[in-house]
Amino acid sequence: MGSNNFIADINPDSMEMETMMESRPSDNINISKKNSTAPQSIYHQIFAGSWNVGGVSPPEVLDIQEWLRPNHIYPPANIYVLGFQEIVPLNAANIVVRSENRKICEKWNSLIRAALNDPDPKNNITQDFRCIISKQVVGILLSVWVRSDLCQYIRQLSVSCVGCGLMGCLGNKGSVSVRFWLHETSFCFVCSHLASGGKEGDQRRRNANAAEILSRTTFPPGPFPNFTTKILDHDRVIWLGDLNYRIYLPDATTQYLVEKQKWNLLLEYDQLKVELMEGHVFEGWHEGVINFAPSYKYYKNSELYFGCDEKRKHNKRRAPAWCDRIIWFGKGLKQNQYDRGELKLSDHRPVRAIFMAEIKVLRDPTGFQSFLSDRIICLPNHFEECFNDKYSCKWRSNFHY
């Protein structure tokens, strides 16, 4: 089912007691002095981004700062969750033979590292972001980056993957999900690529994929009773990816309304919006207001939508659609931004959302000691490996065929 390799910057064995007990002040702390032992709230900014790269290998000179640092925001978010689809072509060799392409993952992670850790041009301050997990299954890649001073407060990091493509199990379609605790709050991030197709009834296959991912995604049980093992058990959940929902209009009408930038009218016929309102999928989930052009389908390296260039002949028509989406579930998340980037590498534009997340913290130092023993699980498992220049260890993970 594609590469089973984890690539991470942090080494659990290097987390010593002194470092983990250190309580670094945060600019986002909102602490009441009335009760120093009860859980208190701090707030961290989370960047969630998704991009279907169409099987195109990224050139070394590709600059993704425009996507990851909108309006040159500084400081950037504290956590970056980046999902990719089709990082390799979805052909038989990659889908059935389970070929690994670690070089492609390394290329994308190198570009992410360079963009996040690039010095701010105004004051020449360099941020230090670490990759805590990077997981590929066929064409899906989910890479999570955290500001280095927060790594010591992350525990119970694990991953679960679901294949629901060809024959109902192969990884050309499916999901990669990551969960962890930051202080006393659990997070789950899902990156998916759902069933494609613009025919009537194809939306039901996408609904079925989403339901299958929700039911089959299971994380390893932890050391406590009633430990969260399913996606919706977590405190904060964000789902991103190429969900592939189209627009319930004739292609010519859709293209005309896109040219006129009639987003509100088009969104009345958006499949995901309709399916949500009718209760067919993602019950209880939320999506921010869409005020940006459809992210699909473009000519590669062009600003023209597919089919809008009369000089090119096409066997198939592809009307524009908001295929790439970011939604969330649960309380404690406030979306501050939802838009798209303008990178032209593939036939999709990347999308992004910035959230402010409430996180519970135990202020009593004994509270930090309560989770030292289950910091990050590093147990033998035949399926996953985590590679680093200085260490190699096994990570806990599930894959569901």
Side-chain angles (χ1 to χ4, degrees):
M1 303 297 293
S3 171
N4 301 326
N5 294 337
F6 280 160
I7 304 171
D9 290 332
I10 61 172
N11 181 354
D13 296 333
S14 68
M15 292 183 175
E16 299 180 349
M17 184 71 70
E18 293 79 10
T19 302
M20 294 166 62
M21 289 297 296
E22 178 185 1
S23 178
R24 172 173 175 160
S26 170
D27 295 336
N28 301 312
I29 290 179
N30 180 14
I31 299 293
S32 170
K33 296 181 180 180
K34 294 180 180 179
N35 188 349
S36 62
T37 60
Q40 305 292 332
S41 293
I42 64 173
Y43 297 87
H44 284 299
Q45 196 164 246
I46 298 176
F47 179 106
S50 178
W51 191 12
N52 184 323
V53 296
V56 181
S57 178
E60 293 182 1
V61 296
L62 181 65
D63 185 359
I64 60 175
Q65 281 213 25
E66 181 272 337
W67 175 36
L68 303 186
R69 304 281 287 275
N71 302 320
H72 304 287
I73 59 168
Y74 197 89
N78 308 111
I79 299 171
Y80 279 79
V81 182
L82 304 176
F84 299 85
Q85 304 81 44
E86 296 189 43
I87 65 165
V88 296
L90 299 183
N91 53 38
N94 289 324
I95 296 171
V96 179
V97 184
R98 307 179 187 179
S99 63
E100 298 183 2
N101 201 326
R102 188 179 172 198
K103 290 184 178 179
I104 294 294
C105 294
E106 290 176 345
K107 282 185 177 181
W108 282 111
N109 282 319
S110 294
L111 291 172
I112 295 168
R113 179 180 287 107
L116 295 183
N117 294 323
D118 189 50
D120 177 38
K122 294 181 180 180
N123 52 30
N124 204 33
I125 296 177
T126 301
Q127 292 287 320
D128 183 16
F129 281 89
R130 306 288 182 88
C131 179
I132 63 169
I133 197 166
S134 177
K135 179 70 178 81
Q136 177 201 1
V137 173
V138 188
I140 301 173
L141 170 66
L142 183 58
S143 189
V144 182
W145 296 70
V146 175
R147 208 179 62 199
S148 59
D149 61 295
L150 295 180
C151 291
Q152 58 184 311
Y153 304 120
I154 290 176
R155 57 191 172 105
Q156 292 296 336
L157 176 66
S158 57
V159 67
S160 180
C161 308
V162 172
C164 50
L166 296 175
M167 298 182 289
C169 65
L170 294 183
N172 60 307
K173 296 294 187 290
S175 65
V176 175
S177 302
V178 167
R179 76 95 180 269
F180 58 82
W181 262 251
L182 176 56
H183 292 291
E184 301 304 308
T185 299
S186 60
F187 287 85
C188 182
F189 301 99
V190 183
C191 175
S192 72
H193 193 184
L194 304 186
S196 61
K199 298 179 182 178
E200 177 64 31
D202 285 339
Q203 75 276 10
R204 290 192 287 272
R205 296 194 298 126
R206 294 186 264 278
N207 295 350
N209 285 171
E212 194 171 359
I213 290 167
L214 283 168
S215 65
R216 291 172 55 196
T217 299
T218 305
F219 296 99
F224 308 113
N226 302 320
F227 203 73
T228 53
T229 60
K230 305 294 288 184
I231 290 174
L232 298 184
D233 293 337
H234 296 81
D235 300 318
R236 317 280 184 260
V237 185
I238 296 176
W239 188 314
L240 52 94
D242 182 357
L243 306 190
N244 251 323
Y245 288 94
R246 310 303 169 91
I247 296 173
Y248 284 121
L249 286 172
D251 290 355
T253 304
T254 299
Q255 291 192 356
Y256 172 78
L257 292 175
V258 167
E259 290 175 5
K260 299 299 181 182
Q261 298 186 10
K262 301 292 185 180
W263 309 143
N264 290 337
L265 182 55
L266 279 167
L267 285 166
E268 292 181 14
Y269 300 91
D270 174 75
Q271 284 185 351
L272 180 56
K273 296 290 186 185
V274 172
E275 296 299 300
L276 276 167
M277 287 188 296
E278 296 181 355
H280 295 159
V281 70
F282 293 120
E283 184 177 356
W285 291 73
H286 309 280
E287 184 181 30
V289 176
I290 294 178
N291 286 319
F292 54 90
S295 58
Y296 173 86
K297 172 180 172 80
Y298 286 88
Y299 294 111
K300 294 180 180 179
N301 298 309
S302 169
E303 295 183 355
L304 292 176
Y305 282 106
F306 193 83
C308 293
D309 188 349
E310 298 179 354
K311 297 180 181 179
R312 308 191 197 192
K313 295 182 179 180
H314 310 284
N315 295 326
K316 296 181 180 180
R317 293 184 63 85
R318 291 285 188 274
W322 286 281
C323 290
D324 308 281
R325 311 291 272 266
I326 301 171
I327 59 179
W328 76 92
F329 184 88
K331 299 179 180 179
L333 287 171
K334 179 184 178 183
Q335 190 182 78
N336 295 326
Q337 182 172 337
Y338 188 28
D339 59 3
R340 64 176 226 178
E342 296 303 327
L343 297 171
K344 302 178 179 64
L345 182 71
S346 77
D347 54 353
H348 290 249
R349 293 292 189 266
V351 295
R352 61 193 169 210
I354 297 178
F355 298 88
M356 189 62 73
E358 180 183 11
I359 298 161
K360 297 298 183 181
V361 176
L362 290 178
R363 295 300 296 167
D364 185 351
T366 59
F368 289 112
Q369 293 177 4
S370 68
F371 60 73
L372 293 182
S373 60
D374 60 308
R375 196 70 181 131
I376 292 181
I377 296 176
C378 195
L379 298 176
N381 183 293
H382 71 281
F383 198 79
E384 304 295 354
E385 289 190 340
C386 170
F387 294 94
N388 187 279
D389 293 337
K390 297 182 179 179
Y391 70 100
S392 176
C393 66
K394 303 285 185 176
W395 292 78
R396 194 176 232 185
S397 172
N398 283 358
F399 196 100
H400 305 279
Y401 294 90

